[in-house]
Amino acid sequence: MKIGILALQGAFAEHGKMLDKLNAEHFEIRNRMDLDKGFDGLIIPGGESTVMGKLLRDLDMYDNLKDKVKNGLPVFGTCAGLLLLAGEVCGEPALGFRTMDIMVKRNAYGRQLGSFYAEEEFSGIGKIPMTFIRAPYISHISENVECLARVDGKIVAARQGRQLVTAFHPELSDDLRVHEYFLTMMRGYHNKDLFS
Ligand code: GLN
């Protein structure tokens, strides 16, 4: 199993370090040609969703990658990555793939609380550290989306089929469990595909 980490902008290197610790094979997706290398999962990192959305189009990667996600490539989006998967962004156009039935509020915690740390329950994992940096939260989910974690009542992690998103940055902690969750999720689908 090989994971492609979108490496156009933002905190992609940190995801690579987490996957190294989990002995998971990975490579960085930097251009259109990298999309042909073959991979079983995709990580969209934190950064600036507007910049990443523009770069995906400028580098002619948007349609190809969106098709892959729509066709069931397992994907894990953190923070800006979450924004790039959201079907709707409150008050502004959604610039990403819009493959998840969630509505998201961008820069939702305002200037003062733009960055903060919390420890909360993540469904099926337990209490985990959560680092938020000018983070969004999920204001609405459809019934086919599972809420995985909340902070102060707001949804900060969710899953829809093969798509996993967190508003926080698990790659900025030493806790490997969310990445492990993604690997387990990938393996589940991988095996189902093999045996169905
Ligand atoms: N505020 C950024 C955005 O709107 C996301 C921040 C992050 O990824 N840490 O895209």
Side-chain angles (χ1 to χ4, degrees):
M1 271 195 332
K2 192 164 158 190
I3 297 172
I5 304 174
L6 191 65
L8 304 180
Q9 190 264 341
F12 50 85
E14 290 78 359
H15 282 287
K17 287 180 193 148
M18 300 299 268
L19 295 178
D20 282 340
K21 288 184 194 155
L22 289 165
N23 291 319
E25 202 185 335
H26 61 89
F27 74 108
E28 290 179 357
I29 299 175
R30 295 181 171 275
N31 55 46
R32 178 72 181 74
M33 267 148 45
D34 290 331
L35 295 178
D36 297 331
K37 287 185 178 163
F39 46 101
D40 313 288
L42 170 70
I43 290 182
I44 309 179
E48 196 55 48
S49 55
T50 48
V51 175
M52 257 189 265
K54 184 174 184 317
L55 284 172
L56 280 168
R57 287 174 178 83
D58 290 352
L59 297 169
D60 191 24
M61 297 164 74
Y62 178 87
D63 290 324
N64 182 307
L65 216 40
K66 179 171 178 164
D67 280 350
K68 284 184 163 63
V69 173
K70 266 169 74 179
N71 290 328
L73 177 73
V75 59
F76 175 21
T78 55
C79 204
L82 177 158
L83 283 153
L84 288 172
L85 292 167
E88 283 182 76
V89 179
C90 298
E92 48 187 302
L95 298 174
F97 300 136
R98 303 190 301 273
T99 45
M100 274 186 92
D101 300 321
I102 58 176
M103 190 190 271
V104 174
K105 188 161 166 46
R106 188 165 172 240
N107 295 328
Y109 296 96
R111 282 182 166 233
Q112 291 296 323
L113 281 173
S115 303
F116 63 97
Y117 176 84
E119 280 179 26
E120 282 300 340
E121 284 291 315
F122 188 106
S123 181
I125 291 183
K127 220 168 212 185
I128 57 158
M130 300 177 175
T131 301
F132 293 83
I133 303 172
R134 291 182 305 108
Y137 63 66
I138 300 172
S139 53
H140 185 261
I141 57 174
S142 298
E143 64 280 358
N144 51 341
V145 180
E146 184 187 357
C147 165
L148 295 174
R150 287 180 189 264
V151 169
D152 294 334
K154 308 285 191 227
I155 302 173
V156 295
R159 173 178 177 176
Q160 179 178 353
R162 302 174 197 202
Q163 303 183 80
L164 171 70
V165 286
T166 62
F168 55 93
H169 289 268
E171 79 284 6
L172 298 182
S173 76
D174 291 329
D175 196 309
L176 298 169
R177 286 177 292 170
V178 179
H179 286 77
E180 224 166 9
Y181 180 100
F182 179 56
L183 293 179
T184 305
M185 188 178 124
M186 277 177 62
R187 267 183 223 113
Y189 283 108
H190 200 64
N191 290 342
K192 248 186 243 163
D193 290 346
L194 279 180
F195 297 115
S196 63

